Amino acid sequence: MTMAVNSVPSPSTGRRPVSWGTPLTYALALAVAAVSIAPVIYVVIGGFRTTRQIVANPAGLPDPFVFDNYVRVLTQSNFWRQAFNSAVISLGTTLAVVVLGLAAAFVLARYSFRGREGLYTFFTLGLLFPAGAAILPLYLMLRDLSLINSYYAVILPQVAFSLPLTIVILRPFLSAIPRELEDAAAIDGASRLGFLWRIAMPLSRPALVTVGVLAFVASWNSFLLPLLVLSDVNLHTLPLGVQNFSSQYSTDTAGVLAFTSLAMLPALLFFTLAEKQIVGGLQGAVKG
């Protein structure tokens, strides 16, 4: 009798409650994705059109596809020089951010000393400090150090402004490594640096990839700082190149779109290829 009663679903529990949370979440996600991706698609497709086509129908598709705009940009020496400058600055910034951030986060995560939490709080407060507010004093300091018109004038400030987020992401990963592993490594004769190199770094790979990609993309897309400290045209990066190209060929809308799409392509590909690692790194930082 009991089995018969239990097998009949009650009116209150027989149906699954309707939840609008998931459809609403997907709708909002699709809306945000559309708003974010639509401008990128428009710029890329616009490079395959002529300026006359864009003026006649701004929202239309290429008819026919025109490759001359991209060929013209890729055959310019200025584009490749600016791409080289962007690569040097971005890779230098990324390397310094990862190395210095890992060293600082390792000390804050694995060492116990007076003032450790206060020092960590000092780093986290750097997230609240807008880089734009420091542009003028930063320029004066770089000028006094004779660093204007050099790669260091862009790399060093970018490293400084990227370190707070890097430490915030890396510290939970390094703190989550069991002490037993460190003790076992010490018994095997490994030093603190050996433990960092052989055990901590491989286990923190998602976080390292995350901070590296974020630093690279932010450096590649940086515009204001290079604009102020790089007056030498031969040192201009691709974001500055887009501005120069737009000023020089203001009536060539299709050419400007082609140059813009090629300028953002490396950072976009770099971010897309490391997407899964970035998600894993941010999840680990939140859990920590």
Side-chain angles (χ1 to χ4, degrees):
M1 184 67 180
T2 304
M3 294 178 59
V5 172
N6 291 338
S7 62
V8 178
S10 63
S12 59
T13 60
R15 297 180 180 179
R16 297 181 60 183
V18 178
S19 175
W20 295 102
T22 300
L24 180 61
T25 301
Y26 280 112
L28 291 176
L30 290 176
V32 172
V35 172
S36 302
I37 298 176
V40 177
I41 297 176
Y42 180 82
V43 170
V44 174
I45 294 179
F48 290 102
R49 306 175 70 193
T50 63
T51 301
R52 182 177 300 180
Q53 291 176 359
I54 295 176
V55 173
N57 186 9
L61 295 175
D63 185 25
F65 276 81
V66 178
F67 298 91
D68 293 343
N69 298 317
Y70 286 99
V71 173
R72 181 157 49 89
V73 172
L74 292 174
T75 54
Q76 290 186 355
S77 59
N78 290 338
F79 174 82
W80 293 108
R81 182 173 64 248
Q82 293 159 2
F84 175 78
N85 294 332
S86 293
V88 171
I89 292 175
S90 300
L91 292 176
T93 299
T94 302
L95 180 62
V97 166
V98 172
V99 172
L100 296 178
L102 178 63
F106 182 75
V107 172
L108 292 173
R110 311 298 299 188
Y111 285 71
S112 297
F113 55 91
R114 181 178 298 179
R116 182 182 69 171
E117 296 304 321
L119 183 60
Y120 178 69
T121 303
F122 175 78
F123 277 112
T124 57
L125 289 177
L127 296 173
L128 306 177
F129 188 78
I135 288 296
L136 180 58
L138 182 60
Y139 175 84
L140 297 176
M141 183 180 67
L142 293 173
R143 184 194 62 184
D144 294 339
L145 294 174
S146 300
L147 293 178
I148 299 296
N149 282 326
S150 68
Y151 292 144
Y152 297 106
V154 183
I155 293 176
L156 294 178
Q158 287 182 346
V159 172
F161 284 110
S162 298
L163 277 178
L165 180 61
T166 301
I167 293 174
V168 168
I169 293 177
L170 289 180
R171 191 193 185 196
F173 274 86
L174 297 171
S175 299
I177 299 176
R179 290 287 178 181
E180 290 78 5
L181 288 178
E182 188 172 359
D183 295 338
I187 294 174
D188 291 337
S191 62
R192 286 288 182 94
L193 290 179
F195 171 76
L196 172 63
W197 178 259
R198 298 177 181 178
I199 299 178
M201 284 183 59
L203 292 177
S204 303
R205 180 182 175 184
L208 293 175
V209 174
T210 298
V211 298
V213 172
L214 294 178
F216 180 88
V217 173
S219 178
W220 187 275
N221 295 330
S222 178
F223 176 79
L224 181 58
L225 182 61
L227 177 65
L228 294 178
V229 301
L230 298 178
S231 58
D232 187 356
V233 179
N234 294 323
L235 294 176
H236 279 187
T237 58
L238 277 178
L240 298 181
V242 172
Q243 182 196 40
N244 297 337
F245 190 89
S246 301
S247 301
Q248 186 176 359
Y249 304 97
S250 58
T251 59
D252 187 6
T253 305
V256 172
L257 294 177
F259 196 107
T260 304
S261 61
L262 290 174
M264 68 181 180
L265 183 61
L268 185 62
L269 290 177
F270 196 55
F271 189 88
T272 303
L273 293 176
E275 179 184 359
K276 293 183 179 180
Q277 295 288 340
I278 293 175
V279 173
L282 293 178
Q283 287 179 345
V286 172
K287 291 179 181 179

